[in-house]
Amino acid sequence: MHTGLRTTGGGRSRGVALAIVIIFGFVLAVLATVVLVFFQSNVSSYSFVKNRLKARIAAEAGAMLALHILEQDYDSAPQSGTPFHLPGDSAQWVRLPESEDLAWVVVDPCNRNREDNLGAVEIRSRGMAGGMSRDVVMRACPDYASRYALMVDGDVLDFFEDGRVVDGPVHANGRIEFSSLTPDSTNDPRVHAVSTTADGGFYLEGMGRIERPHPPGSNLWVRPYSHHVLGRPYWNDAVPEADFDRMVEYYRRLEHNAAVDGTQITGGGRLLLDGDIALFKGGPAEPADTIPIAELDVLFVRNGSSPLYVKTLSEPSEPLSIVSNGSIYIAGLIETSSVSVGGPLALIAMRDVRVARDPEAYGQPDWPNPWNIDTDRGLLVKAVVAALGGSLEAEDPSHPNPSGRLSLVGGLIQRRFGILGIAGHGYELSISYDQVLASTRPPFFPSLGRWHMLSWEQDPDYGGRDIEQDMY
């Protein structure tokens, strides 16, 4: 009896233990299933995210490859608005180097491209990786020195100080220095977009080289800070050098070809722009030559070491580039119309561009009106001014006294900064960007041999159209 009761109790214990084992196994199976499902979900999610990221990188690589090919093969934008593919396989897919990923790249030139504007293209790139696809769209144009409010081959020092406003792009091959005395951003220097080279860099007075438009611990805020803090294209310290020698060589070749066409002046003198004509005199007693500018585009002046004095009597009615193999002297008001009426006007010197001294300010005789020099006060110059071998400077930086403002409406391209004034005398330079130059260049202005990114968009909405259609 006692033994039987013990046997019955053992059976119950074994039954309970077996039930516990079964339940525990079931729980483990459920947990293993959950873990497996979760793992597979994570793997699937990771694979999705990885392929999506790789597809985007492939699309970006395809767009940058197209930009590189444009820089190699196109000195200016294609004039035809017909889209074309980057060469690839039979389906136009490009296999990216050292990758199994693919890109399908369409270059769509703007239908409004003309000889007289910068021109632009829209690059649409579709990346493919692991069955996933992503698109990016880039717009770009050839880079011209004429589209800059200020371009300098050397350093930009003692310029971007409190109160300085330049509402266009600025580039220097050397260092660009900023300074501010105000405790907050009030009156700090303002520039639309600024770039320099890796060897140049941005500097803050007293702090050395800086990476950001507002260095920690400083009272400087390069305005508009919200743009510059985004980096390219507003704040960029890794741009290739602008090749000034390339521009000089371009104009030398152009001048040689123009000599055959007879579109040039030999010797120094005074040049007056008046509507649809230019008037030129080599001396005060000489008769004036009349030069129609309607079909001229470029006027070459072979003046060597003799000055060429330029001013306007009325706004030129046509776009014009005046190219001197010596120096150009600003003799008074330089006025131009809007691009829809006339302009733009470019004064391009292989040496310096100088503000001429006014003889009357020294009690000296001058040529009779309207050939006289009129620079004894503030001046307005509406043009692209390029001193490819020197600088914009005053012939006598001690005059006028007190100083006047040299208001440049357009752009300034120079090897280095010149002296315009000394100790409250001479001229104070202000640069107001002509927005027309963002899309239009003076006649036969050379490109810099590179392309400039205008905008960048990820996963755009094509409005139901195909990537290869003419959409720009």
Side-chain angles (χ1 to χ4, degrees):
M1 186 72 176
H2 177 73
T3 304
L5 286 173
R6 196 169 2 175
T7 302
T8 302
R12 289 177 178 176
S13 298
R14 286 194 297 274
V16 171
L18 180 60
I20 292 172
V21 169
I22 292 172
I23 293 172
F24 185 69
F26 177 75
V27 171
L28 286 179
V30 170
L31 288 175
T33 303
V34 170
V35 169
L36 179 61
V37 171
F38 182 72
F39 175 75
Q40 289 176 335
S41 175
N42 278 348
V43 169
S44 177
S45 176
Y46 169 76
S47 179
F48 175 84
V49 171
K50 182 188 73 171
N51 288 331
R52 185 171 169 81
L53 177 60
K54 289 179 66 179
R56 179 175 65 81
I57 292 173
E60 292 176 353
M64 296 307 296
L65 177 61
L67 192 64
H68 174 72
I69 290 175
L70 287 170
E71 288 184 337
Q72 297 298 312
D73 297 343
Y74 291 89
D75 200 42
S76 59
Q79 298 301 301
S80 170
T82 305
F84 59 91
H85 294 88
L86 287 195
D89 60 19
S90 58
Q92 305 299 340
W93 286 98
V94 178
R95 187 170 299 279
L96 299 173
E98 300 181 3
S99 171
E100 293 300 316
D101 301 331
L102 304 171
W104 191 24
V105 187
V106 176
V107 179
D108 186 0
C110 180
N111 295 324
R112 295 186 297 275
N113 284 349
R114 306 184 310 273
E115 287 289 345
D116 61 341
N117 64 14
L118 303 188
V121 300
E122 183 173 87
I123 300 171
R124 296 188 285 273
S125 178
R126 175 166 295 163
M128 180 73 72
M132 296 291 300
S133 68
R134 302 263 325 253
D135 283 15
V136 297
V137 172
M138 175 204 299
R139 288 188 178 179
C141 70
D143 206 5
Y144 292 86
S146 59
R147 80 169 185 87
Y148 289 84
L150 174 65
M151 175 174 282
V152 185
D153 193 25
D155 298 333
V156 179
L157 310 176
D158 303 322
F159 183 75
F160 282 111
E161 302 172 331
D162 285 335
R164 178 68 64 187
V165 175
V166 180
D167 49 4
V170 170
H171 173 78
N173 287 340
R175 58 190 285 174
I176 299 179
E177 186 176 278
F178 298 93
S179 66
S180 174
L181 298 177
T182 56
D184 55 18
S185 63
T186 303
N187 216 37
D188 282 8
R190 183 182 185 93
V191 56
H192 171 72
V194 60
S195 63
T196 180
T197 64
D199 292 335
F202 299 119
Y203 286 78
L204 173 58
E205 186 179 12
M207 291 189 67
R209 188 160 184 156
I210 59 175
E211 303 297 329
R212 302 173 60 186
H214 171 60
S218 78
N219 62 342
L220 171 76
W221 300 77
V222 181
R223 300 179 298 153
Y225 175 77
S226 59
H227 279 180
H228 294 305
V229 75
L230 298 175
R232 294 190 310 171
Y234 302 105
W235 179 272
N236 192 349
D237 61 357
V239 175
E241 283 196 0
D243 193 342
F244 276 63
D245 292 335
R246 184 179 190 272
M247 289 188 279
V248 171
E249 183 58 31
Y250 167 85
Y251 280 115
R252 284 176 177 164
R253 291 196 308 269
L254 203 62
E255 180 192 7
H256 175 74
N257 295 333
V260 179
D261 301 332
T263 55
Q264 66 178 18
I265 293 171
T266 301
R270 301 194 179 182
L271 183 70
L272 308 180
L273 303 178
D274 190 8
D276 59 357
I277 62 171
L279 302 171
F280 176 76
K281 273 190 175 188
E286 294 183 9
D289 294 328
T290 300
I291 306 169
I293 64 173
E295 303 297 331
L296 194 55
D297 290 335
V298 183
L299 176 60
F300 287 94
V301 183
R302 305 186 68 179
N303 57 318
S305 59
S306 302
L308 173 71
Y309 297 87
V310 180
K311 70 176 185 178
T312 58
L313 299 182
S314 65
E315 299 171 349
S317 61
E318 303 290 337
L320 180 65
S321 292
I322 299 172
V323 181
S324 162
N325 68 1
S327 295
I328 293 177
Y329 286 65
I330 296 171
L333 172 69
I334 305 289
E335 181 69 282
T336 56
S337 307
S338 66
V339 69
S340 60
V341 179
L345 173 68
L347 304 178
I348 305 159
M350 299 301 106
R351 298 182 183 177
D352 299 308
V353 176
R354 295 174 177 165
V355 181
R357 62 195 291 271
D358 193 328
E360 292 184 355
Y362 300 84
Q364 298 172 351
D366 197 356
W367 291 20
N369 189 49
W371 300 91
N372 61 310
I373 296 172
D374 187 15
T375 57
D376 61 345
R377 60 182 67 85
L379 283 175
L380 173 65
V381 177
K382 295 178 68 175
V384 175
V385 174
L388 299 183
S391 61
L392 173 64
E393 59 188 33
E395 186 179 12
D396 183 354
S398 67
H399 282 82
N401 183 16
S403 66
R405 183 174 295 275
L406 175 59
S407 300
L408 177 60
V409 180
L412 173 60
I413 305 160
Q414 57 183 355
R415 289 274 185 175
R416 58 189 175 275
F417 270 86
I419 300 175
L420 284 166
I422 299 175
H425 300 177
Y427 298 94
E428 297 175 3
L429 175 65
S430 69
I431 301 175
S432 297
Y433 185 58
D434 185 350
Q435 296 296 332
V436 165
L437 298 173
S439 59
T440 303
R441 59 190 170 105
F444 288 93
F445 214 94
S447 78
L448 295 171
R450 65 192 189 200
W451 282 62
H452 170 69
M453 187 190 306
L454 298 171
S455 65
W456 181 277
E457 182 181 2
Q458 291 185 6
D459 298 321
D461 180 6
Y462 297 134
R465 293 170 293 182
D466 293 331
I467 189 175
E468 59 187 1
Q469 286 185 304
D470 184 359
M471 291 187 271
Y472 184 44

